[in-house]
Amino acid sequence: MATRIHIFDTTLRDGEQSPGASLNVEEKLEIARQLERLGVDVIEAGFPVSSPGDFQAVQAISRLIKNCTVCGLTRAVPKDIDVAAEALKPAVRPRIHTGLGVSDSHLQHKLKMSREQAMERGVAAVKHARKYVEDVEYFLEDSGRADRDYLCRVMEAVIKAGATVINIPDTTGYTTPEEYGALIRYVREHVPNADKATISVHCHDDLGMAVANSLAGVLNGARQVECTMNGIGERAGNTSLEEVVMAMRTRRDVYDCETGIVTQELYKTSRMVSASTGILVQPNKAIVGANAFAHSSGIHQDGVLKERTTYEIIDPRDVGILESKIILTARSGRAALKHRLGELGYEYNEAMIDKIYVRFLEVADLKKEVYDEDLEILAADETSAVHQTYELLQVQVSCGERVIPTATVRVRDAQGRELIDSCHGTGPVDAVYRAINRIVNVENSLIEFNIQAVTQGIDALADVTIRIQRGNDIYTGRGANTDIVVASARAYMHALNKLIDRVTPSAADRETAGAV
Ligand code: KIV
Ligand code: ZN
């Protein structure tokens, strides 16, 4: 019998810590629903004390999800744990994930505590969390650089206090696979009560070794892998879920283990996470990149046509990549649209379907054939636009050879007033952004602008992703339209609405617990 490895998905927590990746509650619910279909064992839904938005998201996900454990992150402080327990109350299987640094670097510089004080704090946190839930995971932050014997002592103490899962994070992505595998083996062999808890691996990709390190952990006895879709996360990101799962599945001869992941849902989940976070998947990304199953050299094409396995170790259908089908046209009705969106993982109420249907018809009139990729972008565009302080109503530009690019925009504000302004710029997009700035008037700088065609062909939808910065905060915006200037305007409005949402006085009052 192959060993069962639990998949702990932290896309909505560590993944959301990627700069500019913040998601609204509706987007998080949509991703959580898809993660449940994907078959993950645990969804880390957020860090409830960090903001009211995170609290609401964890609570809403706890109400929605029935087949996975729902987990909330906390620092090792009673208030965080109380707030997390409240958010997780509706969950069928709640888990509190608490913990503290264990490396001398974290103890001295960040926590300013002695080893003994930190251990006492950790034990108290676990005991406090166990008053609320039976399932308590303890993270030993920066385990990759910690003194092993201290690590073992803390692990023994928190298991004794009631921790059911022990997370050994390589927080800084410092270790090599050999070192990390040996660390997992060491704690298993030196902590007397190690068999009373599940050992979990949580690796970061600073040296590009997160997946390899996690697999080394599995080979040495870890039974839970923490990962994110597309490998997104703090700095260089986390272990990529699709890569670690497909490595274990494809090389079962090496790892001799299995997961509960429905691999045919991987591609869909990857697309959804990319569409909502605005973090594009690099074309050569393993498993889900656009080129992962593309063969360009003549010799390879010849081989694959004769026998797929000559150059393919994974059947693309096993990860849910099907040949793109032309499915909908301007003659398709609301029901057909709703049905196809459902198949793609987007479940919407009637009001939302109505909104998307209007956008769909505009696209179908211009393009004739609407592909799955178009629908995904329209769906993401509408879901992310739920909280709009400013709504873009009209964009008009004049540009060309020997013309001063000039734009006029019409916008509706939160009080329902329609505001119009115009401006010129170095190009049509610059002119539109300047005209919007004259109305909205919030300081920011544009740090990234990315445009890509969603499908092939001159009539393709343009998908624009931008990032704007204010202070240390980065906000991502995404917009889609057959007109690239309108798509750009929508992306800017989207990012600005997120920024405004964050800096309004009510939002400024929010308690921020700071990054863990
Ligand atoms: O990388 C890390 O150490 C973490 C912990 C908070 C689990 O994300
Ligand atoms: Zn992490």
Side-chain angles (χ1 to χ4, degrees):
M1 270 282 279
T3 308
R4 176 72 156 78
I5 301 296
H6 289 105
I7 297 298
F8 175 113
D9 180 276
T10 182
T11 305
L12 298 176
R13 199 279 298 170
D14 218 329
E16 210 216 6
Q17 286 177 217
S18 309
S22 71
L23 300 165
N24 65 33
V25 176
E26 287 76 10
E27 289 167 321
K28 287 187 183 176
L29 280 169
E30 197 164 73
I31 292 175
R33 214 183 273 125
Q34 180 57 26
L35 291 172
E36 187 176 41
R37 275 189 216 109
L38 179 65
V40 306
D41 299 283
V42 185
I43 296 176
E44 186 162 53
F47 179 14
V49 84
S50 66
S51 71
D54 246 41
F55 181 90
Q56 279 164 23
V58 175
Q59 192 174 50
I61 291 170
S62 299
R63 286 197 190 107
L64 176 79
I65 297 299
K66 303 285 175 252
N67 300 318
C68 316
T69 295
V70 179
C71 175
L73 185 78
T74 81
R75 294 169 299 179
V77 289
K79 177 160 182 225
D80 283 30
I81 294 169
D82 297 341
V83 172
E86 183 61 30
L88 290 166
K89 228 180 215 166
V92 177
R93 287 201 299 273
R95 176 183 294 179
I96 291 177
H97 186 189
T98 190
L100 208 54
V102 285
S103 67
D104 287 335
S105 164
H106 278 223
L107 290 171
Q108 280 165 26
H109 303 301
K110 185 176 123 173
L111 302 168
K112 303 197 188 311
M113 277 182 197
S114 70
R115 287 183 174 182
E116 294 315 308
Q117 284 170 329
M119 184 149 76
E120 272 170 34
R121 171 87 79 87
V123 166
V126 171
K127 287 187 177 158
H128 191 61
R130 281 298 303 252
K131 289 185 204 149
Y132 293 111
V133 293
E134 284 179 8
D135 192 4
V136 174
E137 174 165 342
Y138 192 84
F139 66 83
L140 299 143
E141 195 179 12
D142 203 16
S143 288
R145 296 186 300 168
D147 174 75
R148 282 187 177 185
D149 293 325
Y150 175 63
L151 181 68
C152 289
R153 284 204 290 127
V154 180
M155 183 167 156
E156 184 180 353
V158 293
I159 293 175
K160 210 161 150 201
T164 47
V165 181
I166 297 294
N167 178 6
I168 316 272
D170 182 19
T171 305
T172 55
Y174 180 70
T175 60
T176 65
E178 293 73 20
E179 284 168 348
Y180 191 69
L183 176 63
I184 299 299
R185 179 168 293 273
Y186 188 88
V187 298
R188 279 186 53 227
E189 287 173 355
H190 290 82
V191 174
N193 53 1
D195 61 330
K196 304 273 185 306
T198 301
I199 295 182
S200 182
V201 289
H202 177 115
C203 298
H204 280 268
D205 209 31
D206 299 66
L207 293 174
M209 294 194 275
V211 172
N213 285 351
S214 300
L215 291 169
V218 167
L219 281 176
N220 285 282
R223 294 293 170 255
Q224 176 177 281
V225 176
E226 308 199 359
C227 44
T228 59
M229 263 334 282
N230 302 335
I232 63 170
E234 193 75 45
R235 304 183 312 281
N238 290 60
T239 297
S240 142
L241 184 151
E242 62 278 12
E243 291 178 23
V244 81
V245 165
M246 289 311 290
M248 287 190 274
R249 186 179 193 265
T250 311
R251 298 306 310 274
R252 198 160 158 173
D253 55 326
V254 175
Y255 297 106
D256 192 22
C257 55
E258 61 187 14
T259 68
I261 295 296
V262 182
T263 59
Q264 291 74 10
E265 294 288 325
L266 282 171
Y267 186 62
K268 202 188 287 178
T269 317
S270 160
R271 306 258 328 159
M272 184 184 278
V273 168
S274 171
S276 319
T277 57
I279 300 178
L280 305 177
V281 174
Q282 76 200 56
N284 60 325
K285 166 86 177 59
I287 317 297
V288 291
N291 297 346
F293 298 97
H295 304 276
S296 71
S297 95
I299 296 174
H300 287 212
Q301 286 173 347
D302 181 53
V304 169
L305 287 173
K306 285 179 178 143
E307 166 54 41
R308 187 189 62 75
T309 56
T310 51
Y311 286 100
E312 267 179 12
I313 57 166
I314 297 170
D315 184 337
R317 286 170 299 190
D318 287 348
V319 298
I321 298 181
L322 307 172
E323 289 213 348
S324 192
K325 286 174 281 175
I326 301 163
I327 28 117
L328 299 179
T329 68
R331 286 183 302 283
S332 307
R334 265 178 96 272
L337 174 72
K338 186 175 176 183
H339 178 76
R340 188 61 195 152
L341 282 169
E343 285 178 343
L344 292 172
Y346 297 90
E347 280 173 25
Y348 290 129
N349 61 26
E350 299 305 316
M352 194 64 161
I353 293 287
D354 286 345
K355 277 174 108 181
I356 298 177
Y357 190 56
V358 172
R359 300 278 312 274
F360 160 76
L361 286 180
E362 286 166 12
V363 175
D365 277 344
L366 293 166
K367 282 194 61 178
K368 297 200 185 76
E369 295 152 346
V370 181
Y371 295 77
D372 288 350
E373 290 85 344
D374 299 319
L375 292 181
E376 283 166 354
I377 292 301
L378 288 182
D381 204 33
E382 285 301 329
T383 321
S384 62
V386 175
H387 303 291
Q388 298 190 90
T389 307
Y390 289 98
E391 187 188 353
L392 188 68
L393 299 176
Q394 196 178 357
V395 180
Q396 190 177 310
V397 289
S398 93
C399 62
E401 186 81 2
R402 291 174 210 279
V403 175
I404 298 172
T406 311
T408 303
V409 295
R410 192 159 61 91
V411 161
R412 189 174 10 241
D413 72 8
Q415 288 75 43
R417 290 174 303 201
E418 289 195 8
L419 310 162
I420 301 183
D421 217 322
S422 307
C423 201
H424 64 270
T426 52
V429 174
D430 184 48
V432 168
Y433 283 19
R434 284 172 190 269
I436 292 175
N437 283 345
R438 287 172 67 95
I439 297 175
V440 173
N441 196 22
V442 287
E443 198 191 314
N444 71 87
S445 32
L446 181 69
I447 55 169
E448 195 181 315
F449 181 91
N450 189 300
I451 181 161
Q452 55 174 18
V454 174
T455 53
Q456 288 170 355
I458 194 72
D459 57 358
L461 269 186
D463 173 18
V464 174
T465 307
I466 66 157
R467 287 184 211 283
I468 59 174
Q469 184 163 16
R470 181 176 158 120
N472 288 329
D473 294 324
I474 294 174
Y475 305 87
T476 302
R478 198 157 185 182
N481 201 280
T482 45
D483 182 318
I484 57 174
V485 178
V486 177
S488 307
R490 290 182 70 94
Y492 190 44
M493 213 68 244
H494 182 209
L496 281 175
N497 276 322
K498 284 187 182 171
L499 188 160
I500 293 163
D501 202 31
R502 179 78 182 269
V503 299
T504 46
S506 58
D509 290 343
R510 292 170 183 167
E511 179 186 4
T512 46
V516 177

